Amino acid sequence: MEITLKVFRYNPEKDKRGHYEVYKVEGTENDRVLDLLEYIKGNYDGTLSFRRSCAHGVCGSDAIRINGRNMLACKTLVRDVGEKITVEPVLGLKIVKDLIVDMEPFFDNYKAVLPYFINNSPLPENGRERLQSIEARARFDETTKCILCACCTTSCPSYWANGNYYGPAAIVTAHRFIFDDRDEAASERLQILSETDGIARCHTAYNCTEACPREIKITRVIGEVKMAMVTGKLD
Ligand code: SF4
Ligand code: FES
C-alpha cells in the first residue's frame, strides 16, 4: 500500500520557521512509523532528524506527535493510525531540528524531585540489603515502569502554559520513591511538589494518562501524591 507521510521539517541554520514535507512510501499496515521515518531518511533525505535507539519501546527516545497524539514511533503501526500520517515534534519543548526537541528542561524537572533512593540509616548489621515485603514493593510497582519518554508532560495543557510546572513525568518519578518504604526522603519530595510550580498545577486533564505508552495511570498516581501531601500518610 502507498503510505503518505506529512513530516514537520525545521533546520535552524536555514529556516526562519518550520514547514511540512510530504513523502510517499510503499509499506504495509504492519510497518511501524519509525520504519517509515528510517526509510525516508535512507532513501529520500538523509538530513531528516529524529531520535531513536532501542526501537522496541524501552528507551523512550522516539516520542513524537503522530496525527496529533503523542506516541512512540517504534510502537505505532500503520494500522493504528491509517495511511495518511502527520508526524510532528512534541509540544512544549523547543525544537532543535525537525522532530528533535530540547529535552533539558524536561530532565531538569525530573532531577528536581530527587529521582534516586535516599536512606542514610546504617545498613542492617548482617550486611544484607534493605529487605522489603512483596506488598510494600507492589505499592509503587506501576511507577517503576516509566521510561521517561515525555509523552505525558508534553501533552499536558498546564505544562504548555507554564514550562516551569514540574509536569506529570516528574510526579510519576517522585511517586516511585515517595511510596517506597525503604526511602527516607518522601517528605522532602512532597515539600518540593507543594511549591508554586508543583502538583497544584495539575488540573486533571487526563491527557497524560491517555498518552503514556506504558499505560501508567498517571492521573491516579498524581492523585495519590496529592493525597499524601494532604494527609501525610504514605500507605
Ligand atoms: Fe512516558 Fe508514561 Fe513515563 Fe510519562 S509516565 S514519561 S508517558 S512512560
Ligand atoms: Fe526506544 Fe522507541 S526507540 S522506545
Side-chain angles (χ1 to χ4, degrees):
M1 66 168 63
E2 185 181 79
I3 302 159
T4 306
L5 286 107
K6 187 174 153 193
V7 182
F8 181 88
R9 304 298 309 267
Y10 171 64
N11 180 347
E13 291 175 2
K14 288 190 191 160
D15 306 327
K16 282 207 171 77
R17 63 182 64 176
H19 63 281
Y20 291 87
E21 300 267 347
V22 175
Y23 305 93
K24 295 200 182 287
V25 176
E26 273 302 311
T28 75
E29 62 172 15
N30 292 324
D31 281 326
R32 303 170 303 176
V33 173
L34 181 61
D35 299 327
L36 304 175
L37 291 174
E38 298 277 18
Y39 186 87
I40 293 168
K41 188 174 177 68
N43 294 278
Y44 295 150
D45 184 352
T47 70
L48 175 63
S49 301
F50 51 92
R51 286 196 181 98
R52 80 286 192 207
S53 181
C54 71
H56 289 286
V58 178
C59 72
S61 66
D62 61 338
I64 51 174
R65 226 154 23 113
I66 301 172
N67 291 351
R69 292 185 57 195
N70 285 3
M71 299 180 179
L72 297 179
C74 68
K75 282 193 75 180
T76 307
L77 304 180
V78 170
R79 68 164 176 253
D80 299 330
V81 290
E83 295 151 41
K84 294 196 185 313
I85 305 172
T86 301
V87 178
E88 300 162 301
V90 292
L91 298 174
L93 293 168
K94 189 168 169 274
I95 301 167
V96 177
K97 187 168 185 291
D98 297 335
L99 303 173
I100 295 179
V101 295
D102 178 9
M103 293 289 284
E104 281 305 312
F106 173 81
F107 284 113
D108 286 345
N109 288 341
Y110 166 72
K111 287 180 221 159
V113 300
L114 314 177
Y116 40 82
F117 183 68
I118 299 175
N119 186 324
N120 294 320
S121 300
L123 283 166
E125 280 187 2
N126 58 13
R128 294 188 62 181
E129 68 271 33
R130 301 179 199 281
L131 297 179
Q132 186 169 51
S133 72
I134 291 171
E135 295 74 24
R137 173 62 180 75
R139 178 65 189 87
F140 60 92
D141 189 59
E142 185 164 15
T143 43
T144 64
K145 294 177 190 158
C146 176
I147 54 172
L148 292 172
C149 67
C151 279
C152 54
T153 297
T154 58
S155 67
C156 171
S158 293
Y159 186 74
W160 298 336
N162 176 2
N164 292 324
Y165 167 40
Y166 290 123
I171 300 170
V172 164
T173 299
H175 179 285
R176 183 257 169 267
F177 292 101
I178 286 169
F179 291 97
D180 184 336
D181 68 350
R182 301 163 305 168
D183 186 275
E184 295 179 337
S187 56
E188 210 176 324
R189 292 191 190 88
L190 290 171
Q191 179 60 37
I192 291 164
L193 289 175
S194 70
E195 291 166 2
T196 318
D197 294 318
I199 206 163
R201 292 204 177 269
C202 168
H203 299 303
T204 325
Y206 280 94
N207 286 20
C208 55
T209 301
E210 284 171 14
C212 181
R214 304 288 292 171
E215 298 180 359
I216 299 171
K217 306 280 184 296
I218 303 176
T219 309
R220 196 189 74 204
V221 161
I222 293 174
E224 289 178 3
V225 176
K226 282 179 178 170
M227 189 60 80
M229 204 173 271
V230 172
T231 64
K233 287 192 184 155
L234 300 177
D235 48 20

